[in-house]
């Protein structure tokens, strides 16, 4: 079974803090993704990576950056957290084609 | 600009009856479609998919239909069970250049199956 593990289930951060969300997959997948889920908006792609040190912007990259130093690990960074980044963050991984396999999500609250 | 649309935010069905969830898309470059199921406080789980070269795919109680001319797909669940109560997301994958592995998601439909 594919395992995508997100390091935190719940996080509470203050406005302006630098926030790191970590994700690890154990299936040797080439691709890794960060989505956010908001009510009424579905899942929106923030960034994805198709190889180590490679990344591409998704639909809503503003305010975020990513890091992929090892194949199994993909980090999402909020450089200066803002209240509009309060959301459910979902990491996923896949081979070259779908389906994507998701982690259980990190519920981030920025106060 | 919402390329994948699920116009029904919610659906309520009696146990044992058929559930039909609908999805429309606008981009003719989409060539692969998927349905995901999501329970609260969990990540989405892959349910079933269909390639654009097919018009139907079945897996047990779940069937996905694709109408390319109408840019419409639907998920049928027969018979519906209370454990099917969840949010269902439709997703599409474009086939152009290096973007073959991205998924574009709809906004989701909350299915409630009443015992």
């Amino acid at each position: 079974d594919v395992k995508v593990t997100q390091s935190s289930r719940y996080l509470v951060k203050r406005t302006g803090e630098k926030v790191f969300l970590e994700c690890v997959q154990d299936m040797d997948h080439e691709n890794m993704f960060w989505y956010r889920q908001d009510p009424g908006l579905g899942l929106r792609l923030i960034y994805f990576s198709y190889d180590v040190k490679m990344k591409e912007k998704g639909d809503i990259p503003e305010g975020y950056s990513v890091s992929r130093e090892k194949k199994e690990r993909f980090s999402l960074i909020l450089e200066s957290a803002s209240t509009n980044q309060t959301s459910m963050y979902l990491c996923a991984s896949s081979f070259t084609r779908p389906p994507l396999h998701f982690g259980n999500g990190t519920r981030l609250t920025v106060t | 600009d919402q390329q994948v649309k699920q116009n029904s935010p919610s659906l309520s069905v009696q146990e044992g009856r058929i559930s039909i969830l609908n999805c429309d898309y606008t981009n003719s470059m989409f060539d692969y479609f998927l349905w995901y199921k999501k329970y609260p406080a969990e990540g989405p789980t892959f349910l079933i998919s269909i390639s654009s070269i097919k018009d139907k795919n079945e897996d047990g109680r779940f069937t996905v239909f694709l109408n390319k001319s109408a840019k419409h797909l639907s998920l049928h669940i027969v018979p519906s069970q209370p454990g099917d109560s969840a949010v269902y997301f439709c997703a599409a994958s474009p086939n152009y250049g290096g973007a073959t592995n991205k998924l574009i998601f709809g906004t989701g439909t909350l299915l409630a199956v009443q015992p």
Side-chain angles (χ1 to χ4, degrees), chain B residues 2-46:
Chain B
Q2 193 76 24
Q3 297 185 69
V4 178
K5 301 176 186 177
Q6 293 177 256
N7 292 319
S8 298
S10 63
L11 175 68
S12 184
V13 171
Q14 287 294 120
E15 181 179 4
R17 307 295 287 267
I18 185 171
S19 295
I20 300 176
L21 296 100
N22 293 304
C23 178
D24 297 294
Y25 61 95
T26 58
N27 190 337
S28 58
M29 295 300 291
F30 290 149
D31 74 336
Y32 193 65
F33 304 88
L34 305 88
W35 285 94
Y36 279 81
K37 174 180 175 179
K38 186 180 184 299
Y39 294 118
E42 293 185 14
T45 303
F46 168 67

Side-chain angles (χ1 to χ4, degrees), chain A residues 9-10 31 33 35 37 40-43 45 48 50 57 59 88 90 94-105, chain B residues 2 31-32 34 36 38 41-46 87 89 93-95 98-108:
Chain A
R9 292 300 300 271
Y10 300 93
N31 300 323
F33 307 81
Y35 285 85
Q37 182 196 357
L41 297 177
L43 277 69
L45 181 63
F48 70 101
Y50 50 89
K57 292 179 181 179
D59 299 317
M88 168 70 86
L90 293 159
S94 76
F95 289 118
T96 51
R97 288 286 280 174
L100 276 58
H101 301 271
F102 284 87
N104 278 332
Chain B
Q2 193 76 24
D31 74 336
Y32 193 65
L34 305 88
Y36 279 81
K38 186 180 184 299
E42 293 185 14
T45 303
F46 168 67
V87 177
F89 290 100
S93 180
N95 183 14
T100 57
N101 47 18
K102 285 200 311 186
L103 284 186
I104 313 280
F105 284 83
T107 52

Side-chain angles (χ1 to χ4, degrees), chain B residues 44-92:
Chain B
T45 303
F46 168 67
L47 202 53
I48 192 169
S49 62
I50 187 166
S51 164
S52 60
I53 63 172
K54 293 186 172 182
D55 54 18
K56 178 181 172 181
N57 189 27
E58 270 183 273
D59 184 0
R61 297 186 297 114
F62 302 91
T63 303
V64 56
F65 296 91
L66 176 63
N67 181 335
K68 281 184 294 184
S69 61
K71 293 191 176 69
H72 176 84
L73 66 156
S74 60
L75 174 68
H76 292 210
I77 306 173
V78 183
S80 301
Q81 300 172 354
D84 296 329
S85 298
V87 177
Y88 289 79
F89 290 100
C90 168

Side-chain angles (χ1 to χ4, degrees), chain A residues 4-99:
Chain A
V4 178
T5 304
Q6 295 184 230
S7 55
S8 304
R9 292 300 300 271
Y10 300 93
L11 273 180
V12 180
K13 297 291 181 181
R14 293 199 179 276
T15 301
E17 276 193 78
K18 190 168 186 175
V19 181
F20 292 85
L21 302 183
E22 307 286 345
C23 175
V24 176
Q25 52 97 1
D26 67 356
M27 280 301 291
D28 204 33
H29 284 161
E30 292 88 355
N31 300 323
M32 295 189 75
F33 307 81
W34 277 105
Y35 285 85
R36 64 179 279 180
Q37 182 196 357
D38 300 288
L41 297 177
L43 277 69
R44 294 179 294 165
L45 181 63
I46 305 171
Y47 266 98
F48 70 101
S49 168
Y50 50 89
D51 201 351
V52 175
K53 297 191 187 294
M54 307 303 288
K55 60 187 179 185
E56 279 199 29
K57 292 179 181 179
D59 299 317
I60 51 164
E62 297 79 18
Y64 303 95
S65 62
V66 290
S67 171
R68 193 167 181 200
E69 297 296 320
K70 293 185 178 181
K71 190 174 185 179
E72 68 271 18
R73 188 178 295 270
F74 193 35
S75 303
L76 179 70
I77 304 151
L78 287 66
E79 295 290 343
S80 177
S82 64
T83 54
N84 63 12
Q85 292 178 310
T86 291
S87 186
M88 168 70 86
Y89 289 87
L90 293 159
C91 175
S93 70
S94 76
F95 289 118
T96 51
R97 288 286 280 174

